[in-house]
Amino acid sequence: IMLAMKNQRLISLSSKLAEKDNKFIIAELKKHNLCDIAPSHGDILVLLFDGKAYEMGEIAKRIHRTKPTVTVLVEKLEKSGYIQRVKSDTDARFTYVSLTAIGFALQPTFEMISSDFNKIAYAGLSDEEAMLLEILLEKAFFNFEKQE
């Protein structure tokens, strides 16, 4: 019976962790005067740090968000000057998104925030525990992905 109770804490623990990581990221962004970026923008920016241009639908797929959500996030990032949108030369239905020079300039800050976050999140975990934690959370995440 005790095991069953522990197995029912995933929602509570994951939502508490998400709340803590959002607060941490927002505070770190504020320290770097990046008040126009929210944690929800991070996945898009990190994807684009590879220097490639991505079609909006591809971004949505890669970051596991809906196209309308990605459109709103991209519009905000474009308004702030971090990314640019360009219509496809061959098919006007497709819009490609890439970083501007200002967007690329964010990469060192994002890497530093990510490193600091990971130091806190993984503190006290062995390499094996850290890997297992990621594997198990990813499995739980993809169980929900299969439901959609």
Side-chain angles (χ1 to χ4, degrees), residues 7-147:
N7 286 347
Q8 295 178 11
R9 296 177 54 214
L10 176 61
I11 293 170
S12 175
L13 290 171
S14 61
S15 64
K16 287 175 186 172
L17 180 60
E19 185 181 323
K20 293 281 187 196
D21 78 44
N22 267 340
K23 282 182 182 178
F24 176 84
I25 292 168
I26 290 167
E28 291 299 306
L29 290 168
K30 192 178 273 191
K31 282 183 195 174
H32 292 90
N33 296 316
L34 296 172
C35 299
D36 55 350
I37 297 177
S40 55
H41 296 121
D43 287 337
I44 293 172
L45 292 168
V46 169
L47 175 66
L48 296 175
F49 285 149
D50 70 5
K52 298 177 186 172
Y54 288 92
E55 193 272 319
M56 297 281 278
E58 178 70 11
I59 293 172
K61 193 167 128 181
R62 285 179 179 251
I63 69 168
H64 306 282
R65 300 285 181 113
T66 65
K67 285 183 187 180
T69 298
V70 168
T71 299
V72 170
L73 294 171
V74 163
E75 285 171 356
K76 178 105 179 352
L77 289 168
E78 183 180 37
K79 185 178 174 187
S80 296
Y82 298 118
I83 63 169
Q84 58 192 356
R85 290 191 287 179
V86 179
K87 288 275 186 198
S88 169
D89 291 338
T90 56
D91 190 339
R93 294 174 297 172
F94 294 103
T95 300
Y96 289 89
V97 177
S98 61
L99 287 176
T100 62
I102 297 168
F104 274 114
L106 296 172
Q107 190 168 5
T109 302
F110 268 64
E111 287 173 355
M112 185 172 55
I113 292 171
S114 179
S115 176
D116 291 346
F117 175 85
N118 285 330
K119 284 178 191 165
I120 295 168
Y122 291 103
L125 298 181
S126 68
D127 289 347
E128 293 79 13
E129 288 170 328
M131 190 182 336
L132 183 58
L133 176 62
E134 289 180 12
I135 290 167
L136 296 175
L137 288 172
E138 193 170 72
K139 282 184 178 185
F141 174 78
F142 283 113
N143 285 340
F144 282 97
E145 285 278 294
K146 289 187 282 188
Q147 298 297 311

